[in-house]
Each structure stands twice: as structure tokens, then as C-alpha cells.
Amino acid sequence: QVHLVESGGGLVQAGGSLRLSCAASGSIISPNVMGWFRQLPGNQRELVATRTRAGITNYVNSAKGRFTISRDNAKNTVYLQMNSLKAEDTGVYLCYSNDLGQTYWGQGTQVTVSS
């Protein structure tokens, strides 16, 4: 079992920045993949960014050049630095981890970008 706790969401004006953090604890030490998804209507989730323990990253096209995902493997923590935020980035951001096929989700943190 892995417990994911997010922090760092909030309200920001368009063009501003936010940094999300997600700390993992539990039975799996340093999951292979950690990252962020955004909740969409209809219970769908959109990948925003992921990073493997080895440092391989993956971003949704809309995040490239604006968002940076990083990890501190020693702290089992993943970060998402979001710059040049746009109104369309608004949503609930969910922390994600996957290791050996086991997927876990955080409760989510709200990001609201005002235009």
C-alpha cells in the first residue's frame, strides 16, 4: 500500500506559477513511476507529467516548455513546477504512482488559474 499526499495547489493569476508536491509513504519505497494527472469531467484523467525513478520524463503537449517534473528519490517526493499558467490549466491535480503494475492515487489538490 502506498499513501500519496499532495500539497501546493491554490489560486493564481494567468501567467503566474505554482509548485505542487507529492510525498509517498508506505510499503513501496520509491515507486518506479510518479507523476501528476488532471481530473477531467466524466471521471476521466489526463496525464500531465510523469517521471521514472531513473529520470525519464513524459509530458502532455500542453505542459511542455511550461511545466517541469522533478523527484527527490531519497524523500520519495515528486514535484511539479508550473510556470506561465493558463486558465485552461485549472483543475484538480492528482498525484500518481506506479510500481510493478500497482497504481495508487492521491486525493488531489485544486489548481485555479484566473484570467
Side-chain angles (χ1 to χ4, degrees), residues 4-111:
L4 302 173
V5 178
E6 302 109 330
S7 61
L11 173 65
V12 65
Q13 289 188 330
S17 298
L18 283 174
R19 188 191 194 211
L20 307 183
S21 300
C22 173
S25 62
S27 59
I28 297 176
I29 305 300
S30 190
N32 182 37
V33 184
M34 294 187 72
W36 298 91
F37 281 66
R38 182 165 52 227
Q39 190 76 48
L40 299 176
N43 209 30
Q44 297 296 309
R45 292 169 178 170
E46 174 190 45
L47 182 149
V48 177
T50 60
R51 188 179 179 106
T52 69
R53 194 165 52 224
I56 298 170
T57 58
N58 186 29
Y59 294 92
V60 65
N61 283 338
S62 61
K64 292 178 181 178
R66 299 188 300 126
F67 295 2
T68 302
I69 187 169
S70 59
R71 281 181 69 164
D72 184 333
N73 290 331
K75 295 182 179 179
N76 295 327
T77 300
V78 64
Y79 306 95
L80 185 67
Q81 178 67 44
M82 303 187 293
N83 299 329
S84 302
L85 282 161
K86 305 175 182 179
E88 50 264 43
D89 295 320
T90 293
V92 176
Y93 284 69
L94 301 163
C95 184
Y96 159 91
S97 75
N98 183 280
D99 194 274
L100 299 177
Q102 291 186 300
T103 298
Y104 296 93
W105 297 94
Q107 291 297 308
T109 185
Q110 177 69 43
V111 171

